Amino acid sequence: MNIEQIESALHDIFNEPLKDGELRKIVFWVDKDNEFTEEIGQLQINGVKVHPLTELNQFYTKYLLEEEDPTSSYLIYTNLELGVEENWLADTVLYSKTFYADKVSLILSDLQIDPSLRAVIKKYERFFNNKERFKKFQALGMRGFTEEKIELAIMSVLCNEKTPDFEGVLKAVLMDTLNDGDNKYLTLMDKYFDISVFWKYVANKYGYERETKTLKTLFIHLTVTALSHSISENYLTAVKEFIAVRNKTNALVFIDHWMHHKTDYTVFDEYSEMVEQEILLSNIMQSIPIEEFKQADTFPYIDKAIIIYIANSLMEKLEDYEEYSKLIKLRRVKHYYEQYASVYDALYYTVKMHAFYKDHEQGMPQGRAIDLYQAYVNEFSKMDTYYRKFYVAYDEENNHELLKKLKELVENLYTNWYMGELSSHWSQAVKSEMMNNWTLPGVQNQQSFYSSFIAPHIRRGERAFVIISDAMRYEVGVELAERLNSETMGICDIQTQLGVLPSVTKLGMASLLPHRNLDFDENGRVLVNGKDSSGLESRKKIIESYVEDSVVMHFQDVFDMNKAGRRETFKGKKLIYLYHDTIDAMGDKASTEIYTFNAVETALNQLYDLVKIIRDDLSGTNVYITADHGFLYQRDTLPESDKIEKESIDAIEVKRRYLLSKEKRDISGQLAIDLSTVVDNEQQLTAYVPNGTIRNRMQGSGVNFVHGGASLQEIVVPVLSFKNKRAGQKGSQAIQKVDIRLTNMTRKITNSIFNLEFFQTEKVEEKMISRTVVIYMGDEEGNILSNEETIIGDRSYDNPAERTFKLQFVLKSISYDRNKSYYLIIKDTETGVITEKVPFTINLGIVSDFDF
C-alpha cells in the first residue's frame, strides 16, 4: 500500500459519521516496522491534525488530546505497541480507532488471518510482496488459517497448484526434475519460503527421513516403499534403507495416483526406469517367486520378469497353460501393460497354441472327409486364428529377441505339427472320396450361393446386399461374425460352403454370381452363361441381366460417398454387390505378402464399418458377407522340400497351388480333381493340386501367401448372414454391458489396508459385452483417498464363482471423520459414468505409523 492509498483510506475513516457521544475522530496509526516514517510529514487530511507518538511524549500526547485540544480530530502516528499496561493512552485507544498500514498487518487483514499468526506472515513476507503470488494465495479460498495451512498454501502457489494439497505440491516438484540444483520449484521455495519446511512435510507425510535429502533419493524412497506393499520386505533387504518406517500407505497412494494420471504418467515412467537400474531391480527379482510379485506394479521390469517367466516355462515345456493365460489377463489392468501389450499378445497366442496342442496331442483325427471338414469348422480353425494373431502382435515388436524365440515355437507347432498333420489327413480323405466328385454331404457348394441365399429375397421383392471379400478365409469370417453379434443389434449367423476348385479369384467370384452355367474356356478364362466374367464391369453386366435394379461397385466407392450420396445411389435398388479386396491385394504381391495378417485386421474393421453403413445409412436388413476363396500363409521361408517340380504335362494354366490340364493321369504328389462337379467342364479339364500345403516350384517370389489348392484353409468358404434388427422390433436385443458390483455387505472400514470383492453380474456373450471400470475410495468433494484399481469385466464363464474379483485398497494416512460418509466409486472407464457409489464410514481409531 503506497502513501496515496493510505491517505485515501484515512480520509474515508475520518469522514465516517460520528457515533453517539463522539465529538471528533481519533485514529492511531500503528506502523510497527517504521515503513512510513519519511512519508508521514507529507500526509495531508482536511480537518485532521497529525501527531507523532513516541516513547518520550506519551504523557504530553494524553494532555494534548484531553486538555489542550479536546475538539480537533487527530491522526496519532506511532510504532509503539498500544496494548501494554504502561501505556498512558490505553483508555484513549479503547474509544478510538486503530489503523494499520504496514504490509504484514494489511496481509493479515486482507486474508482474514488472525493476528496471532503475524510471525508466520512476517517470516514469508517476501512471498506476499508480489501481487500475482498474493492473488493466487487469495484465490485458494482458504479459511480458518493455521501455520500449516499458510505453509501449504504458499507451497501450492509456488508450484502452480490450484488447490492447497501437498500431494500436488510434491508431484509438481518431482515432475520438474530430480536434479535439486535445477529444480525451479525448489529454487522458488528457497527464495520465497523455507526449504526445510518442505522437507519437514515430506518426512511427516511420506516417512522420508535422511540426513542428506535429495529429490532423486526421495523418488526412490517413494517407489520402493510402494513396491513393498506388493512384495514382502523379506525379499527387499537390498533396498531396505529406501522403505518408509511410517506412513507407507501415503507413499503407495501417491505413486498410484501419479501412475494413473492421464498425462503425467510419462514422466513417472521415465523416472521409474532410472530407479530400477539404480537399485539393480533385476538382481533383486531373481530370488522372488512369481506368486509374490504377480500383482506388483511399480516398475516396468516386473512385467519383463513375468514375460520372461512365461516364455521360459513354454520353452522348458512346463504345461501350466491355464495359469499362464490367467497371469497375462491379470496384467492387463496394470500400469505398464500397454508398454508391453504386443509382447503379451504374442505370448498369449503362443500359450493358446500350446494349449491347443496339448488338447490334441494324441494327433489330428483321420477319417471321412466330411468329419475332417466339420472338425476344422468347429475346432481346428482356431489354430489358424491363434497363428494369425501371434504374427499381428509379433510384427509390432519384431526386433524383440524374446519374440524371435517364441516364433520358433509357434512355427514348429503350426507348420510342422498342425498344418503338417491336418493337411496330410485332409489330402488323404480327398484322395479317397472327392477326386471324382467335388462335393460333401450336407455342405452346400459355393456355386449355389446365389440361388440358395440371394434369389429368395429377390423373388419376394426384398432388397439384398452382398459383400464379397477376396480371400476372407473361414476363421476371419468367424471373428467378423462374433464382432457383429456382440457390437450391433443385428443377428449374424455363419455357415460354410465348399469352395470351388481351383480356389482362385476368377472362379470363386464367378461362382457367387447368378448363373445358369459356369465353365472354363480353352484359354482358362471363366465363363458365366458363356460370357467372360473377369473384372467388375463383366460381373456388373451379368448381375444386371438377372436383376435390372442392381448396383455393383468397389467397397471404397461406398466409403467415399457421404450419407446423402449413398442414399441416392442405392435408392430403389434391389440387389447390391460390393467387392472388397484388402486381404488379397496385400497377400498376392511378393513385396507385401508379409503384411497379410495386418491386412486381415484392416479388412475386419472395413467390413464391420461397411455393414454399419448399410444398416444405418441405407436401412439394409439382409446382408450377406462371403468370399471367393481362402488362403494359405506361413511366415517362415518354405524349405525346398515343400516345393515340387512341375510334371511334363500339357497345361492350360500353372500356378503355385494348381495346374489345369486336359490330360488326366496320376501325378506323384498331386491330387487330380475332376472338375465336372464344379463347372460344366466342356473342355474335360482336370485340376491338379499338390498334396497338403506343397507348392509347385515356379520362378519368382511370392510363395508364402497362396491359394488355388484344396486345403481346408483355401476351400472352407464362410457365408455370414447379417439380419439387421431395430430397437423395439421383434427379436431385437439391445447391446448391454455387463455390470460390476460390490459384493461385501459391511460398509465400515477399520483398517487403512482392506480387501473388497466384486462380481461381474453377467457373463460376456452375444449382445452382452465387456465393461472396464476403475474403482477407488473418495470423499464428498470428489478427492481420491485411495489407490485406484481396475477390473476388466470380460469373463464368459457360466460359473458365477469364476466371475468374482478380489481387490486390495490402501487409504491415505489422514484424519477421517467417523461421522462422515466416504464413498467407494465404481466408474466406467469408457464413458466416465459412475455406475455405483457406495457410502462407507471410516473409523481407523488412532492412525498408526505402522501398517500391518
Side-chain angles (χ1 to χ4, degrees):
M1 184 177 281
N2 58 38
I3 195 66
E4 289 81 10
Q5 291 173 311
I6 293 170
E7 198 171 272
S8 175
L10 288 169
H11 184 272
D12 291 341
I13 293 171
F14 280 105
N15 281 331
E16 287 176 2
L18 295 173
K19 298 175 183 175
D20 289 345
E22 196 175 35
L23 301 175
R24 59 175 175 175
K25 293 284 186 184
I26 298 175
V27 176
F28 285 85
W29 176 3
V30 180
D31 182 11
K32 287 183 66 65
D33 299 319
N34 292 312
E35 292 185 51
F36 299 97
T37 51
E38 294 182 8
E39 289 90 342
I40 192 64
Q42 307 164 24
L43 194 66
Q44 290 186 348
I45 305 171
N46 290 336
V48 177
K49 295 179 180 179
V50 178
H51 175 77
L53 172 65
T54 68
E55 289 182 351
L56 300 176
N57 71 349
Q58 292 183 58
F59 181 76
Y60 169 71
T61 301
K62 185 174 180 67
Y63 175 77
L64 171 68
L65 294 176
E66 296 185 5
E67 296 294 335
E68 188 175 316
D69 187 3
T71 59
S72 297
S73 292
Y74 273 90
L75 173 65
I76 310 298
Y77 176 81
T78 185
N79 63 3
L80 300 179
E81 180 59 63
L82 298 178
V84 296
E85 292 181 8
E86 293 79 10
N87 180 9
W88 284 90
L89 295 160
D91 57 341
T92 309
V93 170
L94 287 175
Y95 68 75
S96 303
K97 191 175 183 72
T98 303
F99 173 75
Y100 292 96
D102 65 280
K103 290 183 175 64
V104 172
S105 298
L106 289 171
I107 291 166
L108 291 168
S109 175
D110 286 351
L111 296 175
Q112 299 178 32
I113 298 175
D114 192 277
S116 62
L117 294 167
R118 180 184 184 86
V120 180
I121 299 301
K122 181 64 178 173
K123 180 181 178 181
Y124 303 122
E125 189 176 355
R126 288 191 69 193
F127 168 86
F128 291 102
N129 279 342
N130 178 277
K131 288 181 181 178
E132 285 302 312
R133 291 195 294 269
F134 184 87
K135 285 179 182 177
K136 288 180 180 179
F137 186 101
Q138 205 169 30
L140 294 175
M142 297 178 75
R143 294 289 181 269
F145 283 100
T146 61
E147 181 174 359
E148 183 177 299
K149 281 188 174 183
I150 293 169
E151 291 169 342
L152 183 55
I154 291 173
M155 287 189 284
S156 298
V157 169
L158 292 175
C159 293
N160 288 323
E161 291 298 304
K162 303 297 185 224
T163 55
D165 173 47
F166 190 71
E167 181 177 311
V169 167
L170 180 57
K171 192 175 84 168
V173 171
L174 294 172
M175 284 276 294
D176 185 54
T177 175
L178 297 184
N179 187 326
D180 296 62
D182 295 334
N183 191 286
K184 65 182 178 184
Y185 297 122
L186 283 192
T187 302
L188 287 171
M189 286 191 206
D190 203 30
K191 190 173 182 181
Y192 300 112
F193 188 57
D194 182 348
I195 201 73
S196 66
V197 174
F198 167 77
W199 288 114
K200 180 188 73 175
Y201 273 69
V202 171
N204 290 342
K205 292 185 179 294
Y206 299 103
Y208 175 76
E209 294 171 301
R210 282 174 168 255
E211 189 172 330
T212 303
K213 301 174 179 65
T214 68
L215 294 177
K216 183 176 180 179
T217 56
L218 168 59
F219 185 79
I220 297 174
H221 166 91
L222 291 167
T223 49
V224 172
T225 300
L227 181 67
S228 71
H229 176 74
S230 302
I231 298 177
S232 170
E233 290 186 34
N234 296 333
Y235 296 105
L236 301 176
T237 53
V239 287
K240 188 175 181 181
E241 63 174 308
F242 293 109
I243 300 175
V245 176
R246 58 193 180 90
N247 286 345
K248 289 182 182 179
T249 57
N250 279 352
L252 173 70
V253 174
F254 176 83
I255 291 298
D256 184 80
H257 288 180
W258 192 349
M259 291 169 74
H260 280 94
H261 193 279
K262 60 183 178 182
T263 55
D264 293 348
Y265 76 90
T266 55
V267 176
F268 176 85
D269 290 357
E270 177 189 334
Y271 291 170
S272 61
E273 286 192 33
M274 173 274 295
V275 172
E276 67 181 22
Q277 292 172 19
E278 287 277 346
I279 66 174
L280 301 175
L281 183 62
S282 58
N283 294 345
I284 295 170
M285 297 288 290
Q286 287 178 6
S287 62
I288 306 178
I290 187 75
E291 280 299 311
E292 181 70 27
F293 67 81
K294 70 180 184 180
Q295 292 282 3
D297 198 23
T298 313
F299 298 104
Y301 185 79
I302 294 164
D303 285 280
K304 290 181 185 177
I306 289 170
I307 288 166
I308 291 167
Y309 163 78
I310 298 174
N312 283 338
S313 298
L314 291 174
M315 290 171 191
E316 292 168 13
K317 295 182 169 47
L318 302 177
E319 299 180 341
D320 205 355
Y321 304 128
E322 186 175 352
E323 285 306 309
Y324 304 152
S325 295
K326 285 181 179 178
L327 184 51
I328 292 169
K329 288 182 177 180
L330 180 154
R331 297 306 299 179
R332 291 181 303 169
V333 300
K334 301 301 181 182
H335 175 66
Y336 295 102
Y337 178 81
E338 286 302 316
Q339 190 172 325
Y340 300 104
S342 297
V343 180
Y344 271 122
D345 280 349
L347 196 59
Y348 178 76
Y349 289 109
T350 306
V351 170
K352 296 294 283 184
M353 291 177 76
H354 277 80
F356 184 96
Y357 172 74
K358 185 180 180 182
D359 290 342
H360 302 91
E361 61 185 337
Q362 72 278 9
M364 292 285 180
Q366 301 182 53
R368 296 189 310 155
I370 184 59
D371 294 334
L372 272 173
Y373 183 95
Q374 294 297 351
Y376 176 78
V377 168
N378 296 329
E379 176 69 10
F380 298 141
S381 60
K382 293 174 185 174
M383 196 68 161
D384 293 320
T385 301
Y386 300 153
Y387 182 74
R388 170 168 62 85
K389 294 288 190 182
F390 169 82
Y391 272 108
V392 169
Y394 177 87
D395 288 340
E396 292 287 329
E397 293 278 354
N398 57 15
N399 287 324
H400 204 293
E401 286 303 315
L402 182 142
L403 289 193
K404 291 177 181 177
K405 293 287 186 184
L406 293 181
K407 180 175 179 285
E408 294 176 16
L409 298 178
V410 164
E411 284 296 338
N412 183 54
L413 279 178
Y414 185 79
T415 305
N416 297 339
W417 172 70
Y418 170 72
M419 289 301 295
E421 285 199 17
L422 180 65
S423 62
S424 173
H425 296 167
W426 172 248
S427 292
Q428 189 59 46
V430 170
K431 186 174 184 179
S432 301
E433 303 175 39
M434 300 177 68
M435 287 173 61
N436 296 318
N437 185 12
W438 187 249
T439 59
L440 282 171
V443 179
Q444 193 165 265
N445 278 30
Q446 190 176 19
Q447 304 94 302
S448 63
F449 168 76
Y450 182 83
S451 60
S452 298
F453 290 102
I454 309 305
H457 290 293
I458 303 303
R459 286 196 294 270
R460 291 193 295 265
E462 298 171 349
R463 186 164 60 156
F465 290 82
V466 179
I467 302 171
I468 302 173
S469 182
D470 199 334
M472 182 183 73
R473 68 182 181 185
Y474 173 71
E475 55 94 10
V476 178
V478 170
E479 184 172 343
L480 178 60
E482 289 174 350
R483 185 173 173 188
L484 288 169
N485 272 324
S486 66
E487 297 180 23
T488 74
M489 289 178 64
I491 297 169
C492 189
D493 294 322
I494 185 168
Q495 303 174 50
T496 66
Q497 294 186 328
L498 178 64
V500 291
L501 206 69
S503 52
V504 289
T505 298
K506 62 181 179 181
L507 183 57
M509 290 295 186
S511 70
L512 297 170
L513 295 170
H515 62 270
R516 292 182 298 278
N517 54 67
L518 195 65
D519 209 349
F520 286 100
D521 69 9
E522 57 191 14
N523 298 313
R525 292 187 308 165
V526 178
L527 304 178
V528 171
N529 302 337
K531 296 178 180 178
D532 183 16
S533 63
S534 62
L536 200 65
E537 284 303 314
S538 297
R539 295 174 206 156
K540 182 178 179 182
K541 290 176 183 177
I542 293 167
I543 291 170
E544 287 176 344
S545 71
Y546 278 79
V547 181
E548 187 176 354
D549 293 329
S550 60
V551 174
V552 179
M553 65 171 56
H554 191 264
F555 84 100
Q556 191 61 51
D557 295 332
V558 180
F559 281 176
D560 290 342
M561 299 176 192
N562 59 24
K563 186 173 183 177
R566 291 169 189 149
R567 289 192 169 183
E568 184 61 31
T569 300
F570 296 101
K571 185 178 180 180
K573 304 302 182 183
K574 292 298 182 184
L575 178 61
I576 297 95
Y577 265 64
L578 302 175
Y579 288 92
H580 176 268
D581 59 355
T582 299
I583 300 171
D584 198 69
M586 189 69 73
D588 251 354
K589 295 184 182 69
S591 60
T592 60
E593 66 175 358
I594 194 171
Y595 305 115
T596 295
F597 289 152
N598 297 97
V600 170
E601 296 295 308
T602 301
L604 283 165
N605 290 330
Q606 290 171 340
L607 292 168
Y608 177 82
D609 290 343
L610 192 54
V611 172
K612 281 178 62 181
I613 287 171
I614 293 170
R615 180 197 68 189
D616 298 337
D617 292 2
L618 304 175
S619 301
T621 55
N622 305 304
V623 184
Y624 293 86
I625 309 159
T626 189
D628 50 351
H629 55 75
F631 65 87
L632 285 174
Y633 177 78
Q634 65 187 73
R635 180 58 63 90
D636 268 3
T637 303
L638 269 75
E640 290 303 307
S641 59
D642 281 358
K643 303 169 189 175
I644 57 173
E645 296 291 345
K646 174 180 174 284
E647 286 281 327
S648 178
I649 187 172
D650 185 19
I652 292 175
E653 190 169 58
V654 180
K655 298 292 181 182
R656 297 276 185 198
R657 285 287 290 161
Y658 72 96
L659 62 86
L660 290 177
S661 176
K662 291 183 180 181
E663 290 186 40
K664 186 157 188 175
R665 60 185 173 87
D666 288 338
I667 299 178
S668 177
Q670 302 265 6
L671 298 170
I673 310 296
D674 188 324
L675 295 183
S676 298
T677 51
V678 179
V679 294
D680 288 356
N681 209 18
E682 287 187 8
Q683 302 294 326
Q684 299 291 298
L685 295 177
T686 298
Y688 293 90
V689 296
N691 283 328
T693 61
I694 301 294
R695 275 76 156 164
N696 292 320
R697 192 185 303 279
M698 296 176 67
Q699 288 296 319
S701 53
V703 68
N704 290 58
F705 176 93
V706 291
H707 55 87
S711 72
L712 289 163
Q713 285 82 0
E714 294 166 287
I715 57 87
V716 177
V717 175
V719 179
L720 283 66
S721 307
F722 179 81
K723 189 79 173 175
N724 187 30
K725 297 285 185 182
R726 300 196 176 277
Q729 191 176 348
K730 185 178 179 181
S732 69
Q733 189 176 350
I735 306 298
Q736 289 182 287
K737 287 183 178 180
V738 300
D739 224 343
I740 306 294
R741 294 285 178 182
L742 174 70
T743 58
N744 301 69
M745 299 305 293
T746 181
R747 296 292 183 266
K748 185 176 182 179
I749 298 170
T750 57
N751 199 312
S752 59
I753 301 175
F754 59 97
N755 296 313
L756 294 175
E757 285 197 356
F758 300 86
F759 177 54
Q760 178 186 313
T761 54
E762 305 86 5
K763 69 175 185 177
V764 169
E765 54 185 341
E766 289 182 5
K767 314 307 178 193
M768 187 61 69
I769 63 175
S770 66
R771 185 195 297 271
T772 300
V773 296
V774 63
I775 307 171
Y776 56 86
M777 290 298 301
D779 61 17
E780 290 178 344
E781 289 74 40
N783 298 307
I784 300 175
L785 304 175
S786 72
N787 57 310
E788 298 176 55
E789 293 291 336
T790 300
I791 290 177
I792 299 176
D794 64 350
R795 297 183 179 178
S796 54
Y797 306 115
D798 288 315
N799 183 0
E802 294 184 280
R803 302 200 304 272
T804 59
F805 305 82
K806 186 176 181 179
L807 302 179
Q808 188 171 82
F809 294 89
V810 177
L811 289 173
K812 276 185 177 182
S813 241
I814 59 175
S815 295
Y816 293 93
D817 187 341
R818 69 185 67 183
N819 298 313
K820 183 179 175 182
S821 285
Y822 299 90
Y823 299 92
L824 181 83
I825 304 295
I826 304 178
K827 183 189 291 186
D828 187 300
T829 58
E830 180 190 18
T831 63
V833 172
I834 295 174
T835 60
E836 194 170 14
K837 186 176 181 179
V838 186
F840 275 78
T841 58
I842 300 177
N843 184 4
L844 302 183
I846 298 172
V847 179
S848 171
D849 283 340
F850 303 93
D851 299 313
F852 295 94

